Amino acid sequence: MNLSRPTIFFIAGLILFTSADIAAQKEGGKADVVGKIVDAGSGDPLEFATVSFYTPDSSLVSGVVTDLQGQFKIELAPGSYYSLVQFVSYEDKYFSGITLAEGQKRMNLGTIAVEADSETLQEVVVEAERGQMEMSFDKRIFNVSKDPSNVGRTATQLLDNVPSVTVDTDGNVALRGSQNVRILIDGKPSGLVGISGSNGLQSLQGSLIESIEVVTNPSVRYQAEGSAGIINIVLKKDDRNGVNGSFELNAGYPANYGASANVNFRREKINYFVNYGANYRESPGGGSSFQRYTLPDTSFITRRTEDRTRGGWAHNLRAGADFFVTPKDIITVSGVVRYEDGENVNNLIYEDFNSNDVLQNRTGRVNTEQENELNSEVTLNYERSFDDKDRKLTAYAQFRDNNESEDADIEQRLLDGEDPEMIMLRQRSLNDETERNLLVQSDYVHPFSKDGKFEAGFRSTFRQISTNYLVEEQDSIGTWNNLVNFTNDFRYTENVHAVYGLIANRHGKVSYQAGLRAELSDIQTLLLQTDETNNRLYANLFPSIHANYHLNETHSWQVSYSRRISRPRFRELNPFSSFSDARNIRTGNPNLNPEFTNSYEIGYLVNGKTSTVYAGVYNRRTSDVSQRVNYVDADGVTFSQPLNLAFENAFGVESNISKDWFDWWTSSLNFNFYRRIIEGDFNGESLNADTYTWSGRVNSRVTLWKKVNYQVNAFYRAPQNTPQGERLAYYAIDMGLNRDILNGNGTINLSVRDILNSRKWRGITQGETFYQESEFQWRSRQFMVSFVYRLNQKKRGGGREEREDFEGGEGDF
């Protein structure tokens, strides 16, 4: 595997920082401080206990973890200190009076006994456990790591279990029915998502994910991109002293094997963190369709069946370090490498019938594709805090380098011919894509009163994508000839610059934040074969307003408005994007315009001790809405292309309820009912659609015998009309079971995804010359077993207290 230059720089930089840190330890004038930590009751040594040393003003100096014999050793400069010993399920142990004189070489603190605290552990596991859904000022937080049925899943599968979020058969993510949603990793764009987005999410292991944040009406501090809102995937990270982490092994059927590690090491003024996941999977899926064509001079019927397997290895590595330069200055250096090596096999069978439903021929088409993707990313982040509470300056720069290659061999046979094994047609395609991204951003928060603050910032992104798509066909003498209509060399350049300002305050029972964001978009496309260019330069203003009326400490009304933009994605602009199915071809549209959306929402929030309830109504009004439109050429080939229609008006009612009924039973409910009106036409054909539809999701978690958790998730999505047909009902049930072992340090998980094997997309598409019924399943029912081991970590939870105090909306997106 050839690493890109930024990746090499990152690794070299990390080694340099580490070497400098080690060298600093060897400086003279320090004394060795040693000791031993034991259980007060049994006298047994405690391995991996954390021992931290502080100056009298409570500034952290250094930390160390004990070895297998409970012993520790650390170097400290002359001075006075006190120490804190921490270990899972034990009471914290403080001791002071540690004074090191000039020239002193060694101090032995002797044996230090700590008391077990089973009551505290019980509180952490039961009462202080963070709920699976949290509500804040402008976002909902779903703690997916708490769901046993999510074990062994990909990011795509986790998103498909989040309320208001859907994932279609191609892996495209939609929020409240709209695919114009921005997906971020830890509040920023990331190479973990990849060039196309859907591929990266399908290879990102869910074991690396802590929570998923859904922002349906973002403020101006967020990018204006994404008319439906923002989905932020938060990865696991910890900065407690010493070594801590978690490790996971999983296996499943159909073939799904993986391992991951999340480790943190905090010492002195440096916190190292690393996340690594490796996974091998084979995802069987497929579907069928019935297609009837009524062309001017003929009519015929095609029945199509598809059997496909996507699989291979995926590796995700994220590593970095936080440098606490001063108590108020933190520099974070991090890097990401994602590598995917997959093999995809697609087996298609076409059965062609005449107008009298008499079989004419059966054709088989096999597409074998090798897919390789390497994404790397380097991020430098600086954070400066001030004496004034909540006053903060942040700045970061990020460079991403993504490369993807898809090399496919296609063979076609006449299955009912004289020799069904004879290859009648050979084709091949090669798609090479590269993407370069540079991002610079800075944000400043300045409080001017107890509840008031001012925010401002700027952001610039520079993005370049190129794709070289080659399709060839072999003639009768073995020569490969270029299929010109499907071959292209496409270039895409996008530079977006933004500034924003926001003010927030509270007067009595009313709190608010209002702001304005200005963005300048410079977008260029170039199709080299025809030298076609399409340059767009536009400046836009994006205001946002959020207001809360607090009836009391737990009840409040929320009102919000924002203006958003959805720029066409790269694949939507690329003239050709697939050739695996020669009769159903997805293309892009270089002339696609951005969508502009005005989004309104009003809701009622109850954030109580044991429950969270939100009920609201929303409205999205979108101009130049983009919609995929199907049409059939004279040869009966179906093309799918995105087009700008006239207008979309979507409004609905949504409710989220999370309730802790007892210590042993929690549940949540999501319900979303909406109406969607689309107006438009194509080649004289009306594409108007008016649909009423709804979706619901229920989650129930029960603790059995204090150590076993049982969870069931079920959802249903009602039928929905589209401009060219109907999407039929869609439903599924998932189940998970886990049990803690090894004194709470380990957990065994069992899960079944899609118990009824019903997670299938079904739809009807029709136009003036065609009618199609189709069904597709991305992945069949899955069984998973996994083991998680936690090193110096309690089971993750933040506590009801943390949930109540959580302000939200302060992330630097």
Side-chain angles (χ1 to χ4, degrees):
M1 181 178 67
N2 294 322
L3 297 179
S4 62
R5 184 177 300 174
T7 306
I8 296 174
F9 287 165
F10 164 71
I11 295 174
L14 191 57
I15 293 173
L16 178 61
F17 281 126
T18 305
S19 301
D21 179 61
I22 294 173
Q25 300 178 49
K26 302 302 181 181
E27 294 178 359
K30 290 187 176 183
D32 291 334
V33 178
V34 299
K36 183 176 182 178
I37 309 300
V38 300
D39 182 291
S42 65
D44 293 335
L46 296 181
E47 57 189 66
F48 303 118
T50 302
V51 186
S52 306
F53 291 85
Y54 298 81
T55 59
D57 63 357
S58 299
S59 298
L60 176 65
V61 176
S62 184
V64 68
V65 295
T66 57
D67 60 19
L68 298 179
Q69 287 74 44
Q71 298 175 344
F72 66 89
K73 176 182 177 181
I74 191 170
E75 291 183 334
L76 296 175
S80 298
Y81 306 92
Y82 72 87
S83 184
L84 168 63
V85 179
Q86 294 173 302
F87 191 63
V88 176
S89 75
Y90 282 77
E91 293 181 352
D92 291 349
K93 176 80 171 183
Y94 290 90
F95 56 96
S96 57
I98 304 172
T99 302
L100 298 175
E102 289 287 348
Q104 185 174 349
K105 298 299 184 184
R106 181 179 176 86
M107 173 177 283
N108 191 340
L109 299 179
T111 300
I112 302 167
V114 293
E115 298 282 349
D117 186 4
S118 58
E119 183 179 351
T120 299
L121 178 61
Q122 180 75 7
E123 289 177 358
V124 171
V125 174
V126 178
E127 296 180 14
E129 188 170 284
R130 177 181 298 171
Q132 289 184 330
M133 182 185 76
E134 301 177 57
M135 300 289 297
S136 67
F137 191 78
D138 58 357
K139 63 185 172 184
R140 288 171 290 163
I141 305 165
F142 300 94
N143 298 303
V144 294
S145 64
K146 304 299 299 177
D147 187 343
S149 66
N150 283 333
V151 173
R153 310 305 181 199
T154 66
T156 299
Q157 294 169 326
L158 264 60
L159 285 171
D160 201 27
N161 268 349
V162 170
S164 306
V165 178
T166 59
V167 183
D168 69 12
T169 57
D170 295 317
N172 299 311
V173 178
L175 177 60
R176 288 178 172 173
S178 174
Q179 291 186 4
N180 294 318
V181 56
R182 183 71 166 166
I183 298 178
L184 305 173
I185 304 290
D186 286 335
K188 306 176 182 67
S190 175
L192 289 173
V193 176
I195 296 177
S196 61
S198 59
N199 285 347
L201 292 173
Q202 289 163 12
S203 64
L204 175 59
Q205 283 183 261
S207 59
L208 305 179
I209 298 174
E210 176 68 20
S211 62
I212 295 174
E213 301 174 347
V214 177
V215 187
T216 54
N217 214 357
S219 70
V220 297
R221 71 164 63 87
Y222 305 105
Q223 293 175 263
E225 177 70 32
S227 61
I230 291 172
I231 296 176
N232 181 39
I233 298 175
V234 181
L235 301 181
K236 294 178 179 178
K237 182 185 173 184
D238 207 329
D239 61 358
R240 286 174 288 183
N241 296 329
V243 176
N244 61 81
S246 62
F247 308 87
E248 180 175 320
L249 297 173
N250 62 69
Y253 175 84
N256 186 351
Y257 309 102
S260 66
N262 302 280
V263 180
N264 278 76
F265 177 33
R266 173 73 183 266
R267 61 181 311 281
E268 296 187 9
K269 296 184 177 182
I270 302 178
N271 176 58
Y272 300 101
F273 56 89
V274 61
N275 309 76
Y276 174 71
N279 183 265
Y280 175 82
R281 70 178 65 236
E282 295 177 4
S283 300
S288 61
S289 66
F290 169 85
Q291 298 167 307
R292 182 173 64 241
Y293 302 93
T294 307
L295 302 178
D297 55 351
T298 183
S299 63
F300 57 92
I301 295 172
T302 296
R303 288 186 172 88
R304 171 182 171 274
T305 59
E306 179 180 2
D307 182 16
R308 64 186 298 177
T309 301
R310 297 181 63 89
W313 281 98
H315 302 266
N316 297 283
L317 172 64
R318 173 176 172 266
D322 301 310
F323 298 90
F324 302 90
V325 182
T326 72
K328 297 179 181 179
D329 297 274
I330 304 173
I331 296 176
T332 300
V333 181
S334 64
V336 168
V337 176
R338 184 176 74 86
Y339 178 69
E340 183 176 358
D341 182 9
E343 181 175 277
N344 309 318
V345 180
N346 196 25
N347 192 348
L348 292 169
I349 295 179
Y350 308 100
E351 294 180 315
D352 297 314
F353 300 81
N354 62 20
S355 58
N356 298 318
D357 205 20
V358 176
L359 180 65
Q360 301 297 294
N361 56 67
R362 295 178 68 247
T363 305
R365 183 179 175 89
V366 179
N367 182 316
T368 304
E369 178 188 75
Q370 291 295 134
E371 181 178 8
N372 296 283
E373 186 170 0
L374 175 62
N375 302 325
S376 58
E377 168 190 313
V378 179
T379 301
L380 177 64
N381 190 88
Y382 170 72
E383 181 176 316
R384 167 73 175 177
S385 59
F386 299 86
D387 292 334
D388 299 335
K389 185 174 183 280
D390 296 328
R391 183 182 172 195
K392 183 171 64 173
L393 172 67
T394 60
Y396 69 85
Q398 180 190 82
F399 178 78
R400 288 183 286 139
D401 183 4
N402 303 336
N403 299 273
E404 182 178 350
S405 175
E406 300 170 341
D407 189 354
D409 293 312
I410 303 168
E411 297 179 349
Q412 190 163 302
R413 296 174 172 85
L414 191 62
L415 300 180
D416 56 359
E418 295 181 359
D419 184 3
E421 297 300 319
M422 179 181 295
I423 299 174
M424 307 298 296
L425 178 68
R426 290 183 186 271
Q427 295 172 325
R428 64 186 184 189
S429 65
L430 177 63
N431 185 21
D432 287 323
E433 294 180 352
T434 61
E435 178 182 16
R436 306 287 185 272
N437 286 272
L438 176 63
L439 163 65
V440 291
Q441 177 172 332
S442 182
D443 301 273
Y444 176 67
V445 180
H446 187 90
F448 55 81
S449 66
K450 177 183 177 182
D451 299 307
K453 64 178 179 179
F454 170 76
E455 294 184 43
F458 77 89
R459 176 190 181 99
S460 290
T461 59
F462 307 87
R463 184 184 187 199
Q464 292 183 333
I465 303 179
S466 65
T467 177
N468 192 340
Y469 194 52
L470 172 67
V471 180
E472 296 178 310
E473 184 173 299
Q474 193 177 56
D475 60 23
S476 58
I477 61 175
T479 302
W480 289 98
N481 301 303
N482 190 352
L483 296 183
V484 178
N485 290 336
F486 294 97
T487 298
N488 72 85
D489 197 346
F490 187 66
R491 300 288 185 269
Y492 175 81
T493 302
E494 175 190 283
N495 299 325
V496 180
H497 310 283
V499 294
Y500 80 91
L502 179 148
I503 189 169
N505 205 351
R506 177 168 179 163
H507 299 286
K509 292 186 176 183
V510 177
S511 62
Y512 66 88
Q513 62 177 25
L516 183 65
R517 186 181 187 94
E519 291 193 354
L520 175 66
S521 305
D522 182 7
I523 299 175
Q524 304 174 23
T525 63
L526 170 63
L527 189 61
L528 292 180
Q529 277 76 2
T530 59
D531 201 29
E532 294 179 57
T533 61
N534 192 337
N535 300 331
R536 309 287 180 91
L537 179 66
Y538 45 89
N540 305 100
L541 297 177
F542 301 95
S544 75
I545 301 173
H546 291 73
N548 277 13
Y549 180 76
H550 305 270
L551 298 173
N552 51 46
E553 292 182 356
T554 58
H555 294 251
S556 63
W557 284 95
Q558 297 182 343
V559 180
S560 61
Y561 161 78
S562 68
R563 185 170 189 255
R564 311 286 296 165
I565 184 175
S566 289
R567 302 176 184 87
R569 299 185 179 114
F570 162 69
R571 289 198 184 277
E572 294 173 332
L573 294 171
N574 190 359
F576 296 101
S577 57
S578 72
F579 194 69
S580 60
D581 184 350
R583 301 193 187 186
N584 295 274
I585 296 174
R586 294 172 65 89
T587 73
N589 179 4
N591 297 312
L592 211 58
N593 293 319
E595 302 177 3
F596 291 92
T597 298
N598 289 293
S599 179
Y600 309 84
E601 187 164 354
I602 181 171
Y604 187 76
L605 174 64
V606 180
N607 215 345
K609 291 285 186 181
T610 61
S611 63
T612 300
V613 179
Y614 175 81
V617 295
Y618 61 89
N619 175 234
R620 291 196 311 265
R621 305 176 66 87
T622 305
S623 60
D624 278 333
V625 63
S626 174
Q627 183 77 30
R628 277 203 170 268
V629 176
N630 291 0
Y631 61 92
V632 179
D633 68 6
D635 298 322
V637 177
T638 301
F639 289 85
S640 175
Q641 183 182 41
L643 298 174
N644 286 114
L645 304 184
F647 181 75
E648 175 186 281
N649 188 15
F651 48 91
V653 178
E654 184 171 28
S655 178
N656 294 279
I657 303 172
S658 177
K659 172 67 175 177
D660 296 345
W661 299 97
F662 305 99
D663 288 343
W664 50 271
W665 181 26
T666 65
S667 65
S668 63
L669 170 68
N670 170 261
F671 177 81
N672 182 27
F673 172 84
Y674 66 95
R675 182 185 182 189
R676 187 185 187 197
I677 303 170
I678 297 179
E679 299 176 356
D681 61 83
F682 173 65
N683 289 340
E685 176 186 352
S686 173
L687 296 177
N688 296 341
D690 188 352
T691 183
Y692 295 85
T693 189
W694 65 276
S695 64
R697 185 183 301 273
V698 177
N699 177 295
S700 179
R701 182 184 180 191
V702 176
T703 300
L704 307 171
W705 309 294
K706 295 185 178 181
K707 293 185 178 181
V708 177
N709 293 313
Y710 172 70
Q711 183 153 330
V712 175
N713 299 325
F715 72 85
Y716 176 82
R717 295 170 192 153
Q720 175 181 335
N721 293 331
T722 65
Q724 286 188 300
E726 181 182 10
R727 188 204 69 197
L728 302 181
Y730 178 45
Y731 61 94
I733 300 175
D734 300 335
M735 182 188 73
L737 187 72
N738 68 23
R739 187 184 192 280
D740 291 340
I741 59 175
L742 303 177
N743 295 322
N745 291 321
T747 302
I748 295 177
N749 299 275
L750 302 173
S751 67
V752 183
R753 179 178 170 86
D754 196 6
I755 296 175
L756 304 178
N757 205 32
S758 57
R759 220 180 203 105
K760 300 176 181 179
W761 284 82
R762 300 176 300 130
I764 296 174
T765 307
Q766 55 187 332
E768 293 182 352
T769 60
F770 68 95
Y771 173 87
Q772 175 179 303
E773 297 178 6
S774 60
E775 177 181 292
F776 185 85
Q777 185 176 32
W778 182 261
R779 184 178 174 91
S780 60
R781 177 172 44 221
Q782 303 158 66
F783 301 87
M784 289 292 302
V785 59
S786 75
F787 171 69
V788 179
Y789 180 77
R790 290 174 290 276
L791 174 64
N792 275 351
Q793 282 188 346
K794 299 178 176 71
K795 290 189 68 176
R796 286 187 174 267
R800 279 281 176 187
E801 294 78 9
E802 182 180 39
R803 188 198 313 185
E804 292 164 12
D805 295 337
F806 186 81
E807 291 295 331
E810 305 301 328
D812 301 314
F813 279 16

